[in-house]
């Protein structure tokens, strides 16, 4: 036997990972037909939108989709047809944290993975390479294999691979074009290794072979959780140090610069902030905590849990600082929050620090005016309602006003809180903002974004993570 030359790919899940990842595969492999399927009709309609108003915002994504949609890239809700026609199936469905039942709040909810796997088994009529793209607990591929083999039609073989995605939202297209590594895990059997070769051959269209790492299935699954846990750990470490900086008069930027110059440590991911967000870091660490506990390794679980707890502490500390600096009360005061996405260059709000901050300000009965350049209004109301389930939406909408510019948000405010590092917040007419605000006018920079010295000169009181007041 020799490795299957893949001609048709289907990706189950047209989200932040499945969409961009498989669009790039289609662009780089014009000889392969790529179909991205999803049960969510609205999402698929948006991927097929005539004016390319795609369901997710990601720099460079529209160009990629424009270059191949309708040629070798298709979006569809016909999951069964996609599965039947494909040689290789990416499973890129959501794996959120379980909300109830055993392991609630920690374990991954594998319901979507299981349903997709069962669908593959139910409708496949030929051999398939099934690739776990979703981030999953270690040994999930074994469960998938059991389900597939128990339900396979005669003469239908499934080879399972793990191929976790390391892209970061906001830079997904650059990351996919030029990845640090592509990781492929397979069973170390002749069939497993051949399937691994088939997938590696796809990536080799544009990724140098030395960056395509092939490992065992379980190592691959664990590596993804480990990578996210270690990235988040760096953020929590620098944030923990930022608290010490504020108390001692050290400057976190200077500390990070000095520490990052050590080639063993390196400069990346050492930026202090109000805390990390996004759909992955917290969920993947909690998953690691759950895994460790299930393996009777409580000390390991406690170690990783602390990374998430430090992140919660950082957000709470920031909210408290806002209240403290505004003379211990923000009741009835207007707070302008700039940014709602969990980071710049994405419209994704999952676990965004802004949600926690606004909830805290609401609890203090402040009036919030909010501006984000990308996030849809409906998404904001949904997130704020979920964050404060005890409040009727009308009450939230009385306290929070969504604005269409930074200028509008800041008018009449006592304080500006920068929650997302959108570049445009640096280019605001800060003098104009200052003149429109109540005095003293505060800026709380939760992302170390603005030029604090410049703003101080204008008259602002600038409060920055990891620094005393200027
Ligand atoms: P997402 O929620 O944006 O997309 C998942 C999609 O899968 C949804 O549109 C959903 O409708 C669809 N889906 C679920 N079950 C389905 C089924 N049975 N058939 C067809 N479609 C189905 O999620 P995402 O952000 O793309 O993440 C997907 C996976 O990738 C997760 O495991 C996540 O942890 C992982 N991951 C995410 C990122 C990121 O930055 N978002 C990065 C790396 C890895």
């Amino acid at each position: 036997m020799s490795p299957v030359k893949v001609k048709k790919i289907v990706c189950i899940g047209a989200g932040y990972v499945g969409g961009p990842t498989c669009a790039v595969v289609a662009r780089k492999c014009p000889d392969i037909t790529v179909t991205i399927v999803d049960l969510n009709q609205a999402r698929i309609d948006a991927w097929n939108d005539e004016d390319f108003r795609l369901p997710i915002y990601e720099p460079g994504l529209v160009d990629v989709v424009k270059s191949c949609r309708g040629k070798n890239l298709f979006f569809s809700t016909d999951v069964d047809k996609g599965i039947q026609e494909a040689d290789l199936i990416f499973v890129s469905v959501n794996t959120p944290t379980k909300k109830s039942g055993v392991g609630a709040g920690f374990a991954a909810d594998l319901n979507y993975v299981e349903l997709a796997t069962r669908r593959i088994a139910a409708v496949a009529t030929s051999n398939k390479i099934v690739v776990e793209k979703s981030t999953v607990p270690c040994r999930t591929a074994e469960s998938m294999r059991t389900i597939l083999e128990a339900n396979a039609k005669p003469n239908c073989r499934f080879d399972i691979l793990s191929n976790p995605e390391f892209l970061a939202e906001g830079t997904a297209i650059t990351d996919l074009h030029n990845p640090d590594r592509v990781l492929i895990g397979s069973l170390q059997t002749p069939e497993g290794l051949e399937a691994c070769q088939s997938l590696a051959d796809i990536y080799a269209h544009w990724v140098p072979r030395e960056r395509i790492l092939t490992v065992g299935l379980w190592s691959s699954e664990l590596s993804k959780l480990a990578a996210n846990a270690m990235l988040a750990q760096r953020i929590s470490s620098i944030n923990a140090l930022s608290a010490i900086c504020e108390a001692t008069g050290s400057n976190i930027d200077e500390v990070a610069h000095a520490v990052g110059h050590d080639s063993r440590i390196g400069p990346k991911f050492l930026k202090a902030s109000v805390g990390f967000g996004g759909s992955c870091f917290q969920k993947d660490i909690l998953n690691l905590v759950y895994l460790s506990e299930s393996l009777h390794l409580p000390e390991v679980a406690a170690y990783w849990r602390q990374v998430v707890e430090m992140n919660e502490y950082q957000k709470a500390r920031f909210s408290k600082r806002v209240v403290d600096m505004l003379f211990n009360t923000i009741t009835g005061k207007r707070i302008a929050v700039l940014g709602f996405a969990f980071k710049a260059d994405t419209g994704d709000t999952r676990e965004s620090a802004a949600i926690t901050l606004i909830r805290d300000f609401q609890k203090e009965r402040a009036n919030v005016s909010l501006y984000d350049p990308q996030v849809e209004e409906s998404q904001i109301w949904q997130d704020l309602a979920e964050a404060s389930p005890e409040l009727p939406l009308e009450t939230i909408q009385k306290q929070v006003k969504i604005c269409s510019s930074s200028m509008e948000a800041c008018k009449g405010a006592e304080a500006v809180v920068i929650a997302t590092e959108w570049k445009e917040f640096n280019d605001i007419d800060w003098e104009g903002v200052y003149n429109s605000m109540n005095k003293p006018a505060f800026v709380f920079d939760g992302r170390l974004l603005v030029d604090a010295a410049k703003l101080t000169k204008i008259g602002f009181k600038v409060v920055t993570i990891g620094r005393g007041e200027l």
Side-chain angles (χ1 to χ4, degrees):
M1 263 175 40
S2 56
V4 172
K5 189 166 176 356
V6 174
K7 290 261 178 242
K8 285 195 174 172
I9 291 177
V10 71
C11 174
I12 305 179
Y16 286 89
V17 167
T21 306
C22 285
V24 167
V25 171
R27 184 181 194 166
K28 294 292 182 182
C29 309
D31 51 330
I32 299 179
T33 302
V34 178
T35 305
I36 305 177
V37 296
D38 204 295
L39 298 172
N40 183 333
Q41 181 74 56
R43 218 167 201 185
I44 291 299
D45 288 347
W47 281 110
N48 283 323
D49 182 73
E50 267 182 23
D51 301 318
F52 291 90
R53 283 187 301 251
L54 304 180
I56 61 178
Y57 172 73
E58 196 60 63
L61 177 62
V62 169
D63 288 343
V64 175
V65 174
K66 264 186 189 166
S67 69
C68 42
R69 196 179 73 189
K71 294 177 191 150
N72 69 326
L73 174 65
F74 303 91
F75 296 91
S76 167
T77 50
D78 196 341
V79 178
D80 292 359
K81 184 164 173 259
I83 292 171
Q84 277 165 347
E85 291 182 349
D87 318 302
L88 183 145
I89 302 169
F90 282 111
V91 177
S92 186
V93 299
N94 31 333
T95 50
T97 305
K98 220 172 154 183
K99 287 212 171 91
S100 57
V102 178
F106 288 95
D109 179 350
L110 293 175
N111 191 34
Y112 302 96
V113 172
E114 179 169 344
L115 288 177
T117 309
R118 286 187 181 278
R119 203 67 218 148
I120 295 169
V123 302
T125 49
S126 57
N127 294 350
K128 310 284 175 198
I129 298 172
V130 179
V131 185
E132 217 181 44
K133 187 51 113 174
S134 299
T135 304
V136 289
C138 200
R139 294 195 85 93
T140 299
E142 194 168 36
S143 314
M144 290 171 75
R145 192 157 60 104
T146 308
I147 291 170
L148 290 169
E149 286 177 357
N151 295 285
K153 299 205 170 46
N155 303 323
C156 200
R157 209 189 72 229
F158 297 103
D159 291 303
I160 305 239
L161 299 174
S162 156
N163 173 221
E165 186 47 62
F166 293 100
L167 66 77
E169 285 179 34
T171 53
I173 299 301
T174 321
D175 295 344
L176 288 164
H177 278 145
N178 190 21
D180 287 343
R181 80 310 214 174
V182 165
L183 183 63
I184 307 176
S186 69
L187 287 178
Q188 303 299 296
T189 58
E191 296 81 10
L193 293 169
E194 264 173 20
C196 179
Q197 186 62 47
S198 296
L199 182 57
D201 288 345
I202 295 172
Y203 284 110
H205 279 74
W206 75 98
V207 181
R209 283 278 178 186
E210 66 275 12
R211 285 202 223 159
I212 302 174
L213 313 182
T214 55
V215 298
L217 209 35
W218 324 130
S219 306
S220 174
E221 290 176 329
L222 185 58
S223 299
K224 173 62 193 178
L225 295 183
N228 272 356
M230 293 189 77
L231 288 169
Q233 181 201 44
R234 267 174 91 96
I235 299 175
S236 279
S237 296
I238 203 74
N239 283 343
L241 289 166
S242 76
I244 299 180
C245 286
E246 286 160 31
T248 58
S250 332
N251 176 325
I252 194 64
D253 268 347
E254 291 175 353
V255 173
H257 185 65
V259 170
H261 256 266
D262 187 324
S263 61
R264 294 168 302 176
I265 297 172
K268 290 188 181 166
F269 257 70
L270 285 182
K271 184 133 192 218
S273 70
V274 62
F276 59 75
S279 64
C280 293
F281 283 175
Q282 177 167 316
K283 128 177 128 61
D284 293 349
I285 294 177
L286 292 176
N287 206 219
L288 205 52
V289 170
Y290 183 71
L291 183 70
S292 308
E293 276 172 357
S294 311
L295 297 169
H296 309 292
L297 302 167
E299 289 80 5
V300 179
Y303 175 78
W304 289 112
R305 194 195 312 261
Q306 194 58 35
V307 173
V308 174
E309 283 175 7
M310 179 53 63
N311 197 49
E312 292 305 311
Y313 170 71
Q314 186 75 346
K315 288 186 269 186
R317 211 169 65 76
F318 188 80
S319 294
K320 183 172 181 308
R321 208 161 171 218
V322 173
V323 178
D324 287 353
M325 294 297 299
L326 291 176
F327 317 106
N328 273 324
T329 177
I330 56 170
T331 303
K333 294 180 181 170
R334 180 156 297 283
I335 311 285
V337 175
L338 300 187
F340 195 77
F342 86 90
K343 65 190 279 200
D345 289 326
T346 177
D348 194 352
T349 62
R350 290 177 286 183
E351 306 294 340
S352 176
I355 299 173
T356 312
L357 299 182
I358 294 174
R359 191 206 54 203
D360 290 350
F361 300 155
Q362 278 178 283
K363 277 191 186 155
E364 295 283 327
R365 297 195 304 283
N367 298 312
V368 174
S369 36
L370 167 67
Y371 166 68
D372 186 284
Q374 277 300 333
V375 179
E376 302 279 341
E377 202 171 315
S378 55
Q379 185 64 55
I380 295 174
W381 295 132
Q382 187 185 320
D383 290 336
L384 294 182
E386 275 172 21
S388 302
E390 72 287 359
L391 293 180
L393 185 60
E394 303 82 68
T395 310
I396 297 174
Q397 289 178 332
K398 272 189 202 142
Q399 277 189 291
V400 180
K401 178 179 159 212
I402 300 176
C403 303
S404 51
S405 69
S406 302
M407 207 63 177
E408 186 194 342
C410 296
K411 196 167 172 214
E414 319 272 331
V416 180
V417 169
I418 299 175
T420 312
E421 67 280 23
W422 286 105
K423 193 179 161 298
E424 68 171 70
F425 298 155
N426 228 338
D427 304 331
I428 297 173
D429 167 16
W430 281 106
E431 271 201 59
V433 166
Y434 181 75
N435 292 332
S436 76
M437 286 176 66
N438 287 345
K439 310 294 180 312
F442 287 83
V443 171
F444 294 89
D445 187 354
R447 296 286 165 190
L448 295 182
L449 180 77
V450 293
D451 181 342
K454 183 180 109 182
L455 265 57
T456 305
K457 219 166 159 195
I458 292 173
F460 284 104
K461 293 196 175 301
V462 183
V463 182
T464 308
I465 300 262
R467 280 182 226 156
E469 291 81 61
L470 290 181

